Amino acid sequence: TTDNFTFKATNATLNDGKANIKYLVNGVNQENNVVNVPRVEGTGAIVVQVIAENGNVNNYKITYNKIPSSNAYLSELIVSEGSIEFNKETFNYEVNVPRNVNSVDITARVEDETSILKMNSYIYSSPHTLTISNLKPGNTEVIMLVTAENGTTYTYVVTLKKEANVS
């Protein structure tokens, strides 16, 4: 995940060509008017600092409030065998697996990169492909839990339905 998001401060126009402009985020000097704002919850400030030729300083403060994301959706769910019609608001899927297939890859991608992805109880970075090996005839569930920054959770379940062996 990325620790910052980008904010472009409007280019300030100086009345005096000898003055200088600095952009600061929470006191940290930025190289230009495209500033990196930390992805932490709470308030912070972007300061546009104008320094006149005589050394006088004027600060123009832009205050922001970072609200935690509530997005706990997947943006993509792919299976290597069979097919699914993925919709982020559909949480249960069934996939028919032929009897001669012994493993299936399931790839999940979160919609918001600040969300946490768990697949079968283990945390993974997104996107992640989980291989389900040694599939036995019958049903095998793969559970994906997505947790947003604010604690919202959605659970996606893929049930792999493997055909029984022919006797």
Side-chain angles (χ1 to χ4, degrees), residues 125-142:
S125 59
S126 174
H128 182 74
T129 299
L130 183 67
T131 300
I132 307 301
S133 302
N134 301 319
L135 276 175
K136 306 285 185 237
N139 295 343
T140 301
E141 283 190 347
V142 178

Side-chain angles (χ1 to χ4, degrees), residues 29-113:
N29 191 33
Q30 306 294 300
E31 292 185 24
N32 56 42
N33 70 318
V34 178
V35 298
N36 288 318
V37 177
R39 276 196 187 269
V40 294
E41 296 173 30
T43 59
I46 299 168
V47 175
V48 179
Q49 189 175 75
V50 180
I51 306 163
E53 183 181 20
N54 67 3
N56 289 345
V57 176
N58 284 324
N59 290 320
Y60 302 90
K61 187 175 182 181
I62 303 165
T63 301
Y64 63 86
N65 185 22
K66 169 64 172 83
I67 299 170
S69 173
S70 61
N71 185 341
Y73 287 113
L74 288 177
S75 64
E76 186 174 49
L77 185 58
I78 300 169
V79 293
S80 62
E81 294 292 330
S83 65
I84 58 173
E85 295 282 334
F86 177 70
N87 177 320
K88 70 180 184 180
E89 294 179 339
T90 300
F91 300 102
N92 293 291
Y93 298 90
E94 290 185 355
V95 177
N96 293 317
V97 179
R99 68 178 59 90
N100 64 334
V101 173
N102 292 316
S103 69
V104 173
D105 291 337
I106 299 176
T107 302
R109 179 185 307 266
V110 295
E111 189 170 78
D112 183 336
E113 67 182 30

Side-chain angles (χ1 to χ4, degrees), residues 117-132:
L117 172 65
K118 278 187 180 181
M119 296 177 79
N120 283 355
S121 300
Y122 292 96
I123 297 174
Y124 295 103
S125 59
S126 174
H128 182 74
T129 299
L130 183 67
T131 300
I132 307 301

